[in-house]
Amino acid sequence: RTRGKMAAVSQEKQQPLVKHSLETLTFRSTKRSRDLFVKEYVGGLSDFDDGHRAKVQALTRSQYGEVRHLPAPSKAGSKGTKGPEMLAIAGAPTESKLVTEKTASAAASTKSQINNMQLSLFKQTESDKKTLATRAPVMPKPTWHPKWKLMRVMSGHLGWVRCVALEPGNQWFCTGGADRTIKIWDLASGTLKLSLTGHISSVRGLAVSDRHPYMFSCGEDKEVKCWDLECNKVIRRYHGHLSAVHCLKLHPTLDILMTGGRDSAIRVWDMRTKSQIHCLSGHTNTIASLITRPTEPQVVSGSHDSTIRFWDLKAGRSMCTLTNHKKSVRSLIAHPKENTFASGAPDNIKQWYFPDGKFIQNLSGHNAVVNALALNADGVLVSGADNGSLKFWDYKTGYKFQDMETIVQPGSLDSEAGIFAMTFDKSGSRLITCEADKTIKIYKEDENSTEESDPVDWKPNIIRRSRF
């Protein structure tokens, strides 16, 4: 037997050793380490997770507090429903009355308990919401947007193209230029449909009414005209400006027209009677841009005196003045969904809250004279400058996801690569720009752009952002 055992042991020693892979050995080592230390950490969350535990409990109470502790079914009520019927059959009205009173008192006490519980849960939920609201703010991450590319170039103007306006039905748009003409273009095909003449100087502002078949124009000839689009003629003229008129806006709900220009005044006109309702004075330099809103402040203006003013339309005076900009404010754009707006100047692009003008953030990086801003409902903000540069921003976070340089028309100078006006169409999928090389360019989203080909290269700015 001893010899047999010795032979078996010698055979085992002669067997080759099995070589395990690195993954198997690592897994075995990890498992041994876990078995060694698991007893010390198996007792729930440690001390440094108290904040996480409190957060989970607060969220649970706020979202599921009303259904966490449901009242138990009332046995007295179930007995009471059967008791009166049985006692009535047995012919004992006095006992039936006593059972009914007990049932009513039990139901009332249960109802009061439920009300007290709901009230305590409501108070606890409100306190939890206040606690969660005082947490440190989380920096939002930018939304991915596809890149944009040039789709079409349209030429027809004989001078700089200074303004653009879109028709409410998204079928056509109109442009005005330094050649004193207004041209109407088909949006889908890009063909010229109509040319209107009547101004004797450069056309600087256009607006198409949402509720009337009217188009309004203003120019450096101090004229403000109303065009009837059914007969393509001027039917009204608004006289009062002392110098060139640079911007024009229609009120979204009232039959009111607002114009601003080099005389540093905003004039409010009655669209039908041609009479001047207000002359809003307060700026000390040329008024370059306007925003009109259905709620207060109904008029917002940006001027070359580097200020933004909110106006009380009813009283005809200034409500608030924003002095954060250090250079002339040449463009204003309101968000189509949010209660915010953006202002463009050579120093910065800034975002603000309505109605008090609270500052949100700076969009720094467009180191040029920003002439125009455009914003769609998807949160894509575009800024165009006088050197032909286009910057595409994520409106929420201020992340610049694309840089682009416009290409001048063949035969033009490189210095004519300026962008004077731009707008999105009603769908937000087409960007129309008016440029100094006498062309109109249309941009669209690149269908080949994906999150893998154009990832978000976002680096949060930890340093506190400047207000200036």
Side-chain angles (χ1 to χ4, degrees):
R1 290 178 181 177
T2 305
R3 289 179 181 178
K5 289 182 179 179
M6 294 293 291
V9 170
S10 63
Q11 288 179 1
E12 289 178 0
K13 289 182 179 179
Q14 291 176 1
Q15 289 179 358
L17 295 174
V18 179
K19 293 184 178 180
H20 294 284
S21 64
L22 182 62
E23 289 80 3
T24 304
L25 295 174
T26 306
F27 175 74
R28 287 183 178 180
S29 177
T30 306
K31 187 175 182 301
R32 291 192 191 100
S33 300
R34 181 187 179 280
D35 294 339
L36 184 62
F37 297 105
V38 70
K39 294 181 181 180
E40 299 182 10
Y41 295 98
V42 77
L45 295 173
S46 57
D47 293 337
F48 61 82
D49 282 328
D50 288 341
H52 180 70
R53 187 189 297 109
K55 176 184 175 183
V56 172
Q57 291 175 355
L59 288 172
T60 305
R61 284 196 300 268
S62 64
Q63 296 182 9
Y64 305 103
E66 298 180 0
V67 294
R68 282 181 68 196
H69 306 290
L70 294 176
S74 176
K75 296 181 180 179
S78 60
K79 289 180 181 179
T81 54
K82 295 179 181 178
E85 295 176 0
M86 294 173 66
L87 292 172
I89 294 172
T94 307
E95 295 181 6
S96 174
K97 185 176 180 181
L98 291 174
V99 171
T100 307
E101 290 177 354
K102 290 181 181 178
T103 303
S105 62
S109 63
T110 305
K111 187 175 181 181
S112 63
Q113 291 176 1
I114 294 173
N115 291 337
N116 292 334
M117 186 181 298
Q118 290 179 347
L119 182 61
S120 62
L121 286 174
F122 175 76
K123 291 180 179 179
Q124 184 65 39
T125 302
E126 292 297 321
S127 65
D128 291 341
K129 288 181 179 178
K130 291 179 180 178
T131 304
L132 292 173
T134 57
R135 290 183 304 161
V138 180
M139 185 172 291
K141 294 183 179 179
T143 307
W144 180 83
H145 300 286
K147 301 287 186 179
W148 289 70
K149 66 178 183 179
L150 182 63
M151 171 187 171
R152 181 180 293 128
V153 179
M154 298 178 293
S155 58
H157 279 283
L158 302 178
W160 290 355
V161 189
R162 301 304 302 252
C163 53
V164 61
L166 206 72
E167 183 253 342
N170 211 35
Q171 299 293 322
W172 52 267
F173 66 95
C174 53
T175 58
D179 56 356
R180 302 168 295 178
T181 62
I182 301 168
K183 293 184 183 292
I184 296 177
W185 310 81
D186 184 68
L187 182 60
S189 62
T191 57
L192 179 63
K193 300 177 70 173
L194 185 66
S195 292
L196 299 174
T197 59
H199 282 278
I200 59 174
S201 189
S202 177
V203 181
R204 296 296 298 268
L206 288 171
V208 182
S209 176
D210 293 342
R211 294 168 295 142
H212 308 289
Y214 296 154
M215 179 180 69
F216 297 85
S217 65
C218 64
E220 294 180 356
D221 53 2
K222 313 177 191 177
E223 289 281 336
V224 181
K225 298 177 185 290
C226 175
W227 302 78
D228 189 343
L229 295 176
E230 294 178 347
C231 59
N232 299 327
K233 291 182 179 179
V234 177
I235 57 173
R236 297 187 185 99
R237 289 181 173 86
Y238 304 88
H239 297 284
H241 274 284
L242 305 177
S243 189
V245 189
H246 285 187
C247 53
L248 176 148
K249 283 288 182 180
L250 294 172
H251 196 281
T253 56
L254 303 175
D255 290 339
I256 288 176
L257 170 70
M258 269 74 78
T259 56
R262 285 190 61 193
D263 55 2
S264 308
I266 303 168
R267 300 183 187 271
V268 184
W269 310 89
D270 189 326
M271 188 186 298
R272 294 165 294 181
T273 63
K274 302 180 290 183
S275 61
Q276 180 177 302
I277 302 171
H278 286 303
C279 179
L280 306 177
S281 58
H283 283 292
T284 58
N285 209 328
T286 302
I287 295 169
S289 55
L290 291 170
I291 292 177
T292 55
R293 306 174 64 245
T295 57
E296 295 294 341
Q298 297 186 49
V299 185
V300 183
S301 61
S303 171
H304 287 191
D305 61 5
S306 71
T307 64
I308 301 168
R309 284 181 181 264
F310 294 176
W311 300 91
D312 186 347
L313 189 59
K314 184 177 180 180
R317 62 171 181 266
S318 178
M319 297 169 55
C320 174
T321 304
L322 307 178
T323 60
N324 296 48
H325 279 289
K326 300 304 176 189
K327 299 289 182 67
S328 58
V329 182
R330 295 171 178 260
S331 182
L332 298 174
I333 188 71
H335 196 284
K337 292 181 179 179
E338 299 178 2
N339 208 26
T340 61
F341 75 101
S343 59
D347 54 353
N348 266 319
I349 300 170
K350 298 179 184 291
Q351 292 177 358
W352 316 83
Y353 280 116
F354 283 125
D356 53 355
K358 183 180 178 182
F359 175 76
I360 302 175
Q361 65 177 348
N362 275 327
L363 277 65
S364 301
H366 204 163
N367 300 319
V369 180
V370 177
N371 284 327
L373 295 175
L375 178 62
N376 65 5
D378 295 331
V380 177
L381 175 68
V382 189
S383 57
D386 63 346
N387 60 356
S389 59
L390 279 171
K391 310 285 185 184
F392 293 80
W393 313 79
D394 178 51
Y395 184 81
K396 184 178 180 181
T397 59
Y399 165 67
K400 181 173 61 178
F401 66 89
Q402 187 178 2
D403 281 341
M404 188 182 293
E405 295 286 338
T406 186
I407 302 173
V408 297
Q409 187 176 210
S412 301
L413 300 173
D414 291 338
S415 59
E416 290 183 319
I419 299 172
F420 292 121
M422 65 172 64
T423 186
F424 280 102
D425 71 340
K426 298 299 180 182
S427 67
S429 61
R430 298 289 184 271
L431 175 67
I432 306 168
T433 62
C434 303
E435 305 192 4
D437 61 350
K438 308 173 188 176
T439 63
I440 299 121
K441 295 184 175 69
I442 298 181
Y443 297 84
K444 68 174 183 178
E445 293 179 347
D446 190 355
E447 58 273 5
N448 297 323
S449 179
T450 61
E451 293 191 42
E452 290 76 19
S453 63
D454 302 304
V456 175
D457 184 18
W458 180 62
K459 296 177 182 178
N461 187 10
I462 301 177
I463 303 173
R464 186 178 180 184
R465 298 187 177 185
S466 173
R467 296 181 60 208
F468 304 104

